[in-house]
Amino acid sequence: MQKRIPLYPRNDLAKKAAKAFLLKSKISTLPVNPFALCNQHGFVIRSVSETEDLIDEIDPFDVRDNPDCDAKTYLTSAGRYIIIYDDAVMSQGRIIWTIAHEIGHIVLKHLEQFEQTEIHNGLTAVENKVLEKEADAFASEFLAPAEVLLHCHCVKKNSIIKLCGLSEEAATYKEQFLKDYKPDEKYSDINQSILRQFYNFINEKDFFQNLHYKICPVCKNYIFSSKEHFCRICGHSISEHSFTKGIAYNDGPEIGKQKRTSVCPKCHFTQDTKAGSSCSNCGASLVNQCSNTLCGMIHIGSSRHCFKCGSPTTFLLEGIISDWKSAQKTYYDRHLIRNILSNDNETGKIMDDWQYFLSLLFNDGEHTLVSSLKQSFAKIDYDTLYLYLPNFEIKEWLKNNDSVLNFLMKSIKKKLKIHILEILFLDVDLKGTVKVEL
């Protein structure tokens, strides 16, 4: 039964639908490619130029004839959607927005539920504005999901343009929206699912490639701003930049808003919120500070050198983080091991949620266990979990600790809704062969 068009735009409904469609489409990185999404879901998408060649008629669907229209969507009698867009539009950001907007009309079922839509009896100006506003709300959340942007610290217009591919107008709107954004409690479950799906993109700092495209020519670290005179990883003077893909050095302790880590990076002792800059248990630094007393600048956990004066940081001097060459080797080794494990079909599929799961354990206070599993990979084959740990001592400890293994299986079931009956361990030999350890 067809419905009447609502009096006001259902923006909350549209944004929730956009989140659900991101989850359904298994989108886990930005920017979103709406053209690929159309192909994935069976929506036919053609430019005006393509339709002119097919039908041998100028602007056969009257898209360019309307200066306020960049695209039109049709629902065929066979139930198939066709999107026709104006490829004469010069702004790529505007085209991306237009396609996402049309996908919004489809997902919100505007052409199916309302008898007044264009393919039926036409729309009044007020009715058309309501549906257009809903499709805009969908496109905004679909192309630039609020939770992901906030966790990437991407809240300014220029950063949103770089990360999401939006036009300046759309990015300006999103910037204003994020200033007053407060997650609605009734959408907490779907918001958490979005963060889970995008967790690796956020945690592995994959978004740096779009936001911080300049990198150090020595260690390939991303340069955050023009104010950085020295590389914060290797200490090299920043005088030139390479535009190849860089490395996100993400191996340091997480530094909170108080400019200190809440868990000792050496003994994993949880610190009192009013404690000082040293661990109350072992004395290790909780603050990553420039060792030059004349500078004393506070840095994020992975910084090895001060980007202002070039001096080493306290975390580097105390051995809390390794030197950059060791960190870079670990980075490349991890990518190599992941590729080898991914290509081994005998032990199931790589568990993309593994690091997300470890973050949940960390939030529950399981700091020592999470630290032990930080460099691990997990694979799932039906009800069997395979673990790869590069550290032999940690692997042997875990293999012989049934209580910890049982805790992991119960936690995976509780937090990820995945039922695991057995945990086995993997090894990769020098030839790149994956073996199950008995």
Side-chain angles (χ1 to χ4, degrees), residues 246-311:
I247 296 174
Y249 289 82
N250 194 29
D251 53 340
E254 188 68 29
I255 302 297
K257 293 181 179 179
Q258 296 180 339
K259 297 185 177 181
R260 60 195 287 276
T261 179
S262 60
V263 179
C264 176
K266 279 198 170 181
C267 69
H268 312 299
F269 188 78
T270 302
Q271 305 298 307
D272 189 280
T273 54
K274 298 181 180 180
S277 60
S278 299
C279 174
S280 57
N281 184 53
C282 71
S285 290
L286 302 176
V287 176
N288 194 22
Q289 191 169 6
C290 175
S291 59
N292 181 354
T293 55
L294 297 177
C295 177
M297 192 168 188
I298 306 298
H299 294 273
I300 60 175
S302 59
S303 291
R304 290 152 170 84
H305 293 268
C306 176
F307 60 72
K308 184 177 180 181
C309 70
S311 300

Side-chain angles (χ1 to χ4, degrees), residues 9-225:
R10 302 163 298 173
N11 289 338
D12 282 348
L13 174 70
K15 290 181 182 298
K16 185 178 181 181
K19 297 174 193 288
F21 196 63
L22 282 169
L23 294 173
K24 178 181 178 181
S25 306
K26 301 188 184 304
I27 300 298
S28 58
T29 63
L30 297 178
V32 175
N33 183 344
F35 288 90
L37 262 294
C38 286
N39 293 329
Q40 178 182 339
H41 292 280
F43 308 148
V44 178
I45 182 166
R46 295 287 186 271
S47 68
V48 171
S49 298
E50 288 176 308
T51 57
E52 287 177 338
D53 291 339
L54 287 170
I55 301 177
D56 195 24
E57 181 182 333
I58 300 298
D59 195 14
F61 293 94
D62 298 323
V63 174
R64 291 176 181 162
D65 188 50
N66 184 348
D68 297 323
C69 176
D70 287 340
K72 287 185 179 180
T73 298
Y74 297 90
L75 178 60
T76 69
S77 58
R80 193 167 191 185
Y81 285 102
I82 300 175
I83 299 173
I84 311 296
Y85 72 96
D86 186 1
D87 53 332
V89 173
M90 299 302 294
S91 169
Q92 185 65 26
R94 184 171 161 183
I95 289 178
I96 289 173
W97 177 274
T98 296
I99 303 305
H101 175 100
E102 296 304 312
I103 292 175
H105 283 308
I106 295 172
V107 174
L108 294 169
K109 300 185 182 300
H110 286 168
L111 277 71
E112 297 178 45
Q113 293 185 344
F114 304 122
E115 63 182 8
Q116 307 101 309
T117 51
E118 187 175 32
I119 60 170
H120 295 292
N121 300 320
L123 298 166
T124 66
V126 173
E127 291 170 339
N128 180 66
K129 187 175 182 179
V130 168
L131 298 188
E132 291 300 300
K133 289 287 185 182
E134 289 188 0
D136 279 344
F138 176 96
S140 178
E141 188 63 20
F142 180 64
L143 295 174
E147 285 76 20
V148 178
L149 295 186
L150 290 172
H151 280 76
C152 291
H153 306 292
C154 178
V155 295
K156 297 296 183 181
K157 176 184 69 175
N158 290 337
S159 296
I160 295 171
I161 291 172
K162 289 179 182 178
L163 186 59
C164 304
L166 299 188
S167 66
E168 184 169 352
E169 180 182 0
T172 300
Y173 167 81
K174 197 70 182 187
E175 179 184 29
Q176 291 298 122
F177 173 80
L178 291 173
K179 285 181 180 179
D180 302 319
Y181 177 72
K182 293 181 180 179
D184 196 317
E185 185 63 31
K186 64 184 177 183
Y187 297 138
S188 60
D189 289 343
I190 196 168
N191 286 341
Q192 190 60 40
S193 295
I194 287 288
L195 290 178
R196 174 179 173 178
Q197 191 157 292
F198 279 85
Y199 183 80
N200 289 338
F201 177 73
I202 298 167
N203 183 61
E204 300 298 331
K205 304 293 190 294
D206 289 342
F207 59 90
F208 277 5
Q209 181 65 22
N210 283 10
L211 296 184
H212 309 292
Y213 55 86
K214 296 178 181 178
I215 66 171
C216 171
V218 176
C219 68
K220 310 306 180 187
N221 166 58
Y222 288 100
I223 307 302
F224 291 169
S225 78

